[in-house]
Amino acid sequence: MSKQIPPATPEINRLRAAAALIPIIESGLADSKFSVERAALMASFCEWAIEKVPDDPEVVKMAETVGNGLERIKIALAPVA
């Protein structure tokens, strides 16, 4: 049986966009194509997208993936001491 895709809602669409944005931010930082400021703005969108997550288990899993990606991005954005 095929996997059911949750119906499109603004919250789910933001979450899907954030999930797609995480690897873009990571590669942009790794290749020095994004400034720290730009990457931080993009990451703030991702943070906003995971603030209010519906109770659907698949959506929660996607939010956790975005959250894990945000943690990696925060480490990359942290100043080296």
Side-chain angles (χ1 to χ4, degrees):
M1 181 175 266
S2 66
K3 187 176 179 182
Q4 290 288 0
I5 298 174
T9 65
E11 293 83 12
I12 293 174
N13 286 341
R14 282 192 293 269
L15 195 55
R16 287 175 180 155
L21 198 54
I22 294 292
I24 294 169
I25 298 169
E26 290 177 322
S27 68
L29 286 171
D31 298 341
S32 299
K33 292 183 179 180
F34 290 160
S35 66
V36 172
E37 294 82 15
R38 184 174 182 185
L41 284 172
M42 296 167 82
S44 68
F45 168 80
C46 296
E47 288 175 342
W48 174 65
I50 62 172
E51 282 181 0
K52 185 179 176 188
V53 178
D55 291 335
D56 184 328
E58 290 296 317
V59 177
V60 170
K61 186 186 289 187
M62 192 182 335
E64 289 172 356
T65 301
V66 172
N68 292 337
L70 279 171
E71 291 302 317
R72 292 190 306 270
I73 290 169
K74 287 179 183 179
I75 291 169
L77 291 175
V80 178

